[in-house]
Amino acid sequence: MALPQRPVGPARAGRPRHLARTAAALAATLALLSPFGAAGAASAADQEAPTADVDVRVNTQASLGGLSDTARGVNAAVWDSHMNDPEVAALMKTADVGAMRYPGGSYSDIYHWETHTAPGGYVAPGTGFDAFMGTVRATGAQPILIANYGSGTPDEAAGWVRYANVTKDYDAKYWEIGNEIYGNGHYGSGWEHDDHADKSPREYARQVRAYAAAMKAVDPTIKIGAVLTTPGNWPDGVVGEGDPGDWNHTVLSEVTDVIDFVSVHWYAGGSDTTAEAAMTRLTRLPGELREVRNQIDRYAGADSPRIGIALTEVNTNTGGARLTARPNGLFAADAFMTALENGVFNVDWWNTHNGPGEITTVDGETDYGDMGMLSGGSCTGDVCQPAANTPFHPYYGMKMTSELGTAGDAMVAASSSAQEVSAHAVHRRDGRLSVLLINKNPDAARTVDLEYAGFTPSAAAPEVSRYARGDSDITDVTGSGASASQVTVPPYAMLTVTLTPQPGTGAGASAAGAPGTPKLEAVTDSTARLSWDGAAGAARYLVQERDGSHTRLVGESTGTSVTLRNLPPGSTHTVNVLAADATGRISTPSIPLTFTTGTPPDAACALTFHRDTSWGNGFVTTITVRNLSDTPITGWTVDWDWPTDGQSVSSGWNATFQQTGRHVRVTAPEGSGPLAPDGASTASFGFVGANDGPNPDPTAFRLNGTVCSGG
């Protein structure tokens, strides 16, 4: 985040929130809060099960990775006078917050830890590093500390490591080098302070190496993080004058051997600043995070799994959105779980307290335009927030994810048939299964049929936690009529349903442990060789490919490796390994691996796909194709599929372009000559493209149906 909307001032007595609702909405809410809905005292047996309008499938054999001890995090800022209030630590501990980021977004690049000063900015009393660490320890969390890149030095950062981990024994593990340094003006827009004469990504990479060397000389166990821009968000794809590539590609090409994680930020953005629109735009995040991993893979190679991804700032918008209202609470829960399911180890909400902005009314309540999770007790004109540290809805969204799972539990695949109902699932270490359902419809309850793969629920009634209209906190509504097979989610509400397994079923009944994360040993255009660490009690191993919440067996071995064959060129696959014991009972799945096959080296055609220029949400590309066969080709076509939904061809030249869904077909212009054999001639054409979200290159191209090499 660039800067706070306004400093958080002294606490003032807050006014009660507006609770006006229509009579119909209130009646519907009261009915849903009743254990048996509107039927009142009628017995559950007398109730006819409602017709489900949403289907949710959960597959415990499709792991999405484990929850880390730093999964849930928040940002803290030295301009926040309430940052270290005792209530903050108590609230964050209750929500199982495991990480707290300091000293506050763009303030990090003007803040000097030793003097507790930020020239040009406001520093509140009582917000120094030791006071912050008191809150961190009271919370039971870990700090994520941002070394001052903009006006600091490697020696200053090393001194902070020495004070934190040698002098004070704080064991501060995660250290970022600067905040949003790509916003230093190098690309024309500047909000991040940077005193370096050279503001290029190459200079940042050089300095990251210097910071890492100085800081790890003090404590070699710390983790160093480099700042990246999120693919699909400015200035992704923009190449500055004299740079070899855009920010991410330039930085990663030079630092992967010295960093341990990367830090990215994600704000939903968009011209529609409502939280409802932000929840829709959240569907872009998985592809954007996948592209971050692709970029790390490209430059780190086999060392890539060592480098983690942290989403150190997230919110609906950087201003103008409806930020403290109920829909942003739904967004918070959905965003935390979506990011964690897609490969990050840490998600940090912006911000703990931030300060009020535009005052609006949303869902019958006052929205204070505040990006914080907790009230700062401030006023805008004659409208005052509630008392300091009163939680806003995003706090309860984050807290609801702690009902779903904690460190060491495994996220598993869940899919919903309705876009307005999100589903997330966690397989607990004790064998239980928790499912989070988020109903983003403000007007109608949704009845959900639950289906399971790899899990058989017991006959016991599930535990149910709810956050809905009328709830002042996460509320236990166990016994309210939910079953293992069906549950009704009130409008604008969240439910977490936790089920116990039928005795003798599931991974807990297997004598085999979970296999290690598979590694990609070698890949061609049609094969992939995988290996993994073995599991105790395993008689054989099953390799399953995941497609949403469905899996299919693609390989089997009695050893700890397998070669998958007959894979399509340029295709992407996500696989888990499971172990079977001597009786055939299946273990919990491994952490997943995603890989992409290549193109054939001896293909009958070759193609180059070159991005000439890019500007964040658009690009210009030139494609050149050669015929390597021994016969000429007349009347050629070139086909490819975009990796994401947001990519498209806007206009082109030297050919005819047609796009259907993600598929693009390019046809030779009328009257064009043949492509000569043996690469003796080429066909070249180009287009202007657009992207709404990440913009990865296509993985395979076909000339008249034949897969080409290159790309």
Side-chain angles (χ1 to χ4, degrees), residues 60 83 96 114 121 152 221 266 380 428 441 443 448 453 563 568 633 636 677 687:
T60 62
M83 183 181 78
D96 194 35
E114 193 166 14
T221 70
W266 196 84
T380 295
R428 305 292 192 105
N441 188 315
D443 302 314
V448 178
T563 298
I633 295 176
W636 52 262
F687 64 91

Side-chain angles (χ1 to χ4, degrees), residues 17 72-75 80 88 91-92 95 97 99 314-315 323-325 328-329 331-333 335-336 347-355 370-376 385-401 467:
R17 297 184 179 186
R72 280 170 287 274
V74 294
N75 279 270
D80 173 12
V88 172
L91 285 164
M92 297 306 171
V97 166
V314 66
N315 208 313
L323 296 162
T324 67
N328 211 26
F331 171 87
F336 269 88
V347 184
D348 302 321
W349 188 259
W350 182 272
N351 195 10
T352 300
H353 310 91
N354 204 69
D370 190 322
M371 301 181 76
M373 280 198 160
L374 308 178
S375 171
Q385 294 182 338
N389 298 313
T390 299
F392 293 132
H393 288 292
Y395 169 80
Y396 294 113
M398 178 180 68
K399 184 179 178 182
M400 181 59 92
T401 68
Y467 188 64

Side-chain angles (χ1 to χ4, degrees), residues 482-578:
S483 71
S485 60
Q486 191 177 91
V487 61
T488 297
V489 190
Y492 256 18
M494 299 177 277
L495 286 183
T496 295
V497 181
T498 299
L499 308 131
T500 56
Q502 181 177 308
T505 67
S510 176
T517 305
K519 306 177 190 68
L520 182 64
E521 300 289 352
V523 64
T524 70
D525 59 314
S526 61
T527 66
R529 180 170 177 79
L530 313 178
S531 67
W532 55 88
D533 292 336
R540 60 192 175 95
Y541 297 95
L542 310 175
V543 179
Q544 296 201 52
E545 181 170 5
R546 173 168 57 86
D547 180 10
S549 62
H550 292 266
T551 53
R552 64 186 181 92
L553 183 67
V554 293
E556 189 172 350
S557 175
T558 55
T560 55
S561 65
V562 71
T563 298
L564 307 181
R565 304 184 185 279
N566 300 315
L567 305 174
S571 57
T572 298
H573 307 267
T574 298
V575 296
N576 294 109
V577 180
L578 301 95

